[in-house]
Structure formats: C-alpha cells, structure tokens
Amino acid sequence: MSKLHLVMGGRVKDPQTLEFEDLGSIDIVGVFPDFASAENAWRGAAQRTVDDAEMRYVIVHLHRLLEPDLPQTQ
C-alpha cells in the first residue's frame, strides 16, 4: 500500500491547538504518495499564510489511519 499523506489546514480557535473553527472551510491541499511531496505542499500552503497566526496546516499520515499496525516510519 502507498504511504498516503493528506495536507490540510484552516483557521484554528487557538494557535497552539488543532481545533479548527469551521470544518466546512477546511482547505484540502491534496493527498500525496510520499512524505517528501506532502511536506513540500505543506510548506507552500503554510508559507502563504505565515502572517496569520490563526491559520494552521498539517500533514495527516493517512496510511497510519488505514493500517495502524504498520511500522511507524514517515
């Protein structure tokens, strides 16, 4: 199975948490086949909103959700 990674982000209630204000307005950047390409997309999205402390982008390791017993590598 591919090691799928989701890059997404949005406005958070508190910049130190991942509690998004409005789940309907989450920005789905995309799904990527490896961590390196996901990280590149994450950097681009995060850089566009660098001046807005309430915007947060994350990389979600979808492969870990789909197969939690796999070894924990990126």
Side-chain angles (χ1 to χ4, degrees), residues 7 29-30 32 35-48 57:
V7 178
V29 178
F32 301 88
F35 184 79
S37 57
E39 184 178 33
N40 190 39
W42 168 80
R43 286 186 191 282
Q47 191 64 34
R48 284 191 298 276
Y57 281 86

Side-chain angles (χ1 to χ4, degrees), residues 14-60:
D14 176 348
Q16 295 186 10
T17 70
L18 283 176
E19 185 178 353
F20 293 100
E21 279 186 10
D22 180 12
L23 296 179
S25 66
I26 294 288
D27 177 21
I28 304 294
V29 178
V31 176
F32 301 88
D34 55 62
F35 184 79
S37 57
E39 184 178 33
N40 190 39
W42 168 80
R43 286 186 191 282
Q47 191 64 34
R48 284 191 298 276
T49 60
V50 71
D51 292 330
D52 186 348
E54 294 176 342
M55 287 296 289
R56 186 113 182 240
Y57 281 86
V58 296
I59 299 174
V60 180

